[in-house]
Amino acid sequence: MNLLLLSARPEDVAFVRTVAGFARANMIPIDSIEKLAVAVTADPQTTIFWDADRHDASTSLGGVFPEAIVTAACKGKIPPARIWALTEKLCSEMPGGLATPEKAEQPVFHHNIVRRYSAGLPGIIGRLVRQAHDGESPAFEEYFPPDTAVQRIQLPDSSKRRPAVDAVQSFLGKMGADSRIAAKVAQSCDEMMMNAIFDAPRDRDGRAVRNSLDRNAEFSFVQGEKVELLFANSTDFSGFCVSDIYGSVIVETILKYLWQIFLQADYRVRKASPGAGLGLYEIIQYG
């Protein structure tokens, strides 16, 4: 697997080179439009890391790759899931933004990395790159150093959701996390568990059976049903994973939410009906 780097920034070069090591890939610096076109044609399975701060459409030479050039080179060849935009701040906060609906029917890229290159980030990104390439998700534990302790909390009924959320927030506080960030992480964790408890369950005909219930309702799960929360904390990162037995979350649905949130600065949470947004708006906004 190849990683194409469309950036001459030293910090990007160092970061992507380390990511390539974790992804078991070759990093290839690209400094011209011609090289980009040749590389994409030669290897449609490649992954691209792109300096998206340099997106002035009037500039297309000297190693600068505006969005129009990246789009033209990748159209029909490199899917957005394998394009990573490197920026100084979130693309949604950039003047003029990127990939507005008027300019693209779908996002040019699915991933936006803000240049806060901490020590543990290349390992996580490298595994995500591998996942996007191979289509297989690494086990949750594989995103952390080998000696990282993983806490498992199994919910036997809906009443244990709130204590689990409180436990996550308390743990982060004890680890020295900022209280506001700890609260937002716990809120996102709560959204994930609510999805597993209320939105995921389906009957034999595939119909949702709990999505109209009050989110504070207390009830026991059906026989064989379980909702599990995994939580891990390392020097650089904390992470959580929520799983259920239904597998009803569809990748295209998640991407639809991400794209909608990414494009609409004035996005508002829907009040009329509960959905499976998974707290993605909050996650995006708080990085």
Side-chain angles (χ1 to χ4, degrees):
M1 179 173 65
N2 293 325
L3 300 188
L4 306 183
L5 175 60
L6 280 60
S7 175
R9 298 186 185 220
E11 64 270 35
D12 292 350
V13 173
F15 172 71
V16 176
R17 181 180 290 119
T18 308
V19 168
F22 281 100
R24 304 192 300 279
N26 302 312
M27 188 190 82
I28 303 176
I30 300 293
D31 57 7
S32 72
I33 299 168
E34 291 75 20
K35 286 185 179 180
L36 174 61
V38 169
V40 168
T41 301
D43 182 15
Q45 298 300 312
T46 195
T47 294
I48 293 176
F49 282 78
W50 163 46
D51 178 3
D53 284 327
R54 309 292 295 276
H55 67 286
D56 182 355
S58 65
T59 308
S60 59
L61 300 175
V64 178
F65 296 86
E67 184 183 4
I69 296 298
V70 175
T71 303
C74 300
K75 189 173 184 179
K77 298 175 183 177
I78 309 298
R82 292 208 298 271
I83 300 180
W84 299 68
L86 308 175
T87 55
E88 290 297 325
K89 55 186 178 181
L90 287 173
C91 287
S92 56
E93 299 174 357
M94 293 169 61
L98 284 172
T100 59
E102 294 76 18
K103 294 161 61 180
E105 294 181 359
Q106 65 172 339
V108 176
F109 55 92
H110 281 167
H111 312 284
N112 179 200
I113 300 179
V114 178
R115 289 186 179 89
R116 300 169 188 160
Y117 295 152
S118 57
L121 185 60
I124 292 178
I125 300 301
R127 291 177 177 88
L128 289 173
V129 167
R130 197 79 212 176
Q131 175 185 342
H133 185 269
D134 295 341
E136 296 183 3
S137 299
F140 176 70
E141 293 84 350
E142 293 182 23
Y143 287 101
F144 298 88
D147 58 346
T148 302
V150 176
Q151 297 187 37
R152 294 176 179 269
I153 302 176
Q154 190 157 318
L155 280 63
D157 56 60
S158 65
S159 68
K160 300 301 186 292
R161 175 176 61 86
R162 175 48 57 185
V165 173
D166 292 341
V168 169
Q169 186 167 348
S170 175
F171 179 81
L172 287 171
K174 291 177 181 178
M175 293 295 101
D178 176 84
S179 59
R180 181 178 62 87
I181 298 299
K184 289 299 178 183
V185 170
Q187 178 182 336
S188 297
C189 187
D190 191 25
E191 294 277 358
M192 297 282 279
M193 284 191 287
M194 282 195 291
N195 180 77
I197 294 170
F198 294 97
D199 293 293
R202 298 289 192 272
D203 62 19
R204 291 183 178 180
D205 296 323
R207 293 173 297 198
V209 295
R210 295 194 196 127
N211 64 335
S212 61
L213 293 180
D214 185 288
R215 269 28 184 182
N216 293 315
E218 294 188 2
F219 50 84
S220 298
F221 296 152
V222 300
Q223 185 175 5
E225 181 181 4
K226 66 176 181 178
V227 173
E228 187 175 55
L229 166 66
L230 304 181
F231 186 80
N233 186 76
S234 65
T235 303
D236 297 296
F237 290 94
S238 295
F240 60 85
C241 172
V242 176
S243 61
D244 61 71
I245 66 170
Y246 295 96
S248 56
V249 173
I250 300 172
V251 172
E252 288 74 17
T253 301
I254 300 300
L255 293 178
K256 181 190 72 173
Y257 273 103
L258 283 170
W259 185 224
Q260 179 184 33
I261 293 165
F262 180 73
L263 287 177
Q264 299 178 14
D266 61 345
Y267 177 82
R268 296 290 181 268
V269 176
R270 289 172 295 133
K271 301 293 186 181
S273 62
L278 309 184
L280 292 176
Y281 176 74
E282 296 290 348
I283 293 171
I284 294 284
Q285 292 301 308
Y286 289 92

